[in-house]
Amino acid sequence: MKIIDLSVTIEDQTPCDPPSMPTRIDYWGHDKGAEHMRQFFPTATEKDLPGGLGWSIEYIQLTTHSGTHLDAPWHYHPTMNQGEPARTIDHIPLEWCFSDGVKLDFSEVPGEGGKITVELLEAELARIGYTLKPLDIVVIYTGAMKQWGTAAYTSAGCGMTREATLYLLERGIKVVGTDAWSWDRPLSLIAEEFEETGDSSLIWEGHFAGIEREYYHMEKMNNLDKLPPFGFKIACFPIKIKAASAGWCRPVAMFDL
């Protein structure tokens, strides 16, 4: 079996999130680990540890939306399916997290932050010759990862409209993903259009589609350019965080050889 890692690495002080969502990693090396270790073995001396060194550990401060993660309906709204209590990430049905993968390529959508419409979805599905089936895991390749590691990443790539999101959900899709910072278009571009038009339906429209139909989406995926349109499996089990709006995950694509 061939496996492709579809995640990014969580790094200290990554510039790929807004300043209000910092990631900080405090690395305790083996020297400091020896001091910590002797708290558990108070009579031990430096000579009792191999080379005088102990364990290494890390303390991490981050949000549940840092790095590659899977958003739950609770992130979008308190309700889903037009009135039911929204599920948090610890209640996602695990069978939805392992299924056939489908990659749709929108890396050539004109302009930064272009809208992925129903018409574009249908054209891409026709181009690759694929008919969606329930529980397919659909990933959107925008090319945004070319900006990873820079502040430009949050405004890179295109995003899904409400109608395009519902198009997938109406066909039984439960889990989707993108290599961009958000399932929606970049927030800065949405804000500009909202200021010009006053149309509140533009705000977070792809996410808010989850109020109508339950779904989960991955953001900040990696290596989508290495995937064919279909013919592979995706596994994307999230970390189980009680009552959380998202969970970190390490999605992988798997191919039979």
Side-chain angles (χ1 to χ4, degrees):
M1 178 178 291
K2 178 182 178 181
I3 296 179
I4 296 178
D5 187 356
L6 304 181
S7 68
V8 297
T9 302
I10 293 177
E11 301 178 61
D12 183 46
Q13 303 288 353
T14 174
C16 299
D17 281 313
S20 60
M21 300 171 63
T23 297
R24 298 189 178 95
I25 305 177
D26 182 13
Y27 291 91
W28 283 26
H30 298 93
D31 288 330
K32 192 169 185 178
E35 298 174 15
H36 190 219
M37 211 168 173
R38 287 198 290 270
Q39 294 177 20
F40 297 87
F41 302 94
T43 61
T45 67
E46 185 177 326
K47 294 180 180 179
D48 294 312
L49 300 176
L53 302 175
W55 50 48
S56 66
I57 57 175
E58 296 74 42
Y59 289 87
I60 303 179
Q61 175 188 328
L62 73 173
T63 76
T64 51
H65 300 267
S66 300
T68 307
H69 62 279
L70 184 62
D71 283 344
W74 180 256
H75 180 48
Y76 324 140
H77 200 69
T79 62
M80 65 182 189
N81 296 334
Q82 304 186 46
E84 296 176 18
R87 283 204 253 207
T88 51
I89 198 63
D90 46 329
H91 291 293
I92 183 174
L94 293 182
E95 59 270 21
W96 295 354
C97 299
F98 179 67
S99 193
D100 292 333
V102 181
K103 183 189 82 172
L104 303 180
D105 187 347
F106 296 106
S107 58
E108 299 300 323
V109 171
E112 286 293 302
K115 295 182 181 181
I116 300 175
T117 63
V118 170
E119 291 73 22
L120 287 173
L121 279 181
E122 291 181 330
E124 175 64 2
L125 287 166
R127 184 188 73 82
I128 67 174
Y130 190 83
T131 300
L132 294 172
K133 65 182 186 301
L135 299 188
D136 279 344
I137 297 178
V138 178
V139 294
I140 304 296
Y141 172 49
T142 74
M145 269 294 145
K146 295 172 184 176
Q147 300 296 332
W148 182 256
T150 73
Y153 174 69
T154 59
S155 296
C158 50
M160 295 285 286
T161 61
R162 169 185 171 275
E163 291 77 17
T165 303
L166 290 174
Y167 178 92
L168 298 178
L169 308 187
E170 288 163 359
R171 284 153 181 78
I173 306 303
K174 297 294 186 181
V175 176
V176 295
T178 177
D179 59 348
W181 187 81
S182 175
W183 180 249
D184 280 80
R185 293 182 295 145
L187 298 183
S188 58
L189 298 181
I190 298 173
E192 289 177 8
E193 189 172 348
F194 171 63
E195 186 173 347
E196 293 172 1
T197 66
D199 182 0
S200 61
S201 69
L202 298 169
I203 298 175
W204 229 35
E205 58 178 314
H207 283 72
F208 283 154
I211 300 172
E212 301 175 56
R213 287 179 177 266
E214 177 183 11
Y215 87 105
Y216 302 73
H217 65 237
M218 288 174 280
E219 293 168 329
K220 305 178 193 172
M221 300 185 76
N222 194 19
N223 292 326
L224 297 189
D225 57 315
K226 297 179 180 179
L227 299 179
F230 52 88
F232 57 94
K233 296 279 189 182
I234 289 181
C236 55
F237 299 101
I239 296 296
K240 195 174 183 181
I241 307 171
K242 185 174 179 61
S245 62
W248 310 289
C249 67
R250 189 173 188 177
V252 297
M254 294 174 284
F255 302 80
D256 290 329
L257 296 179

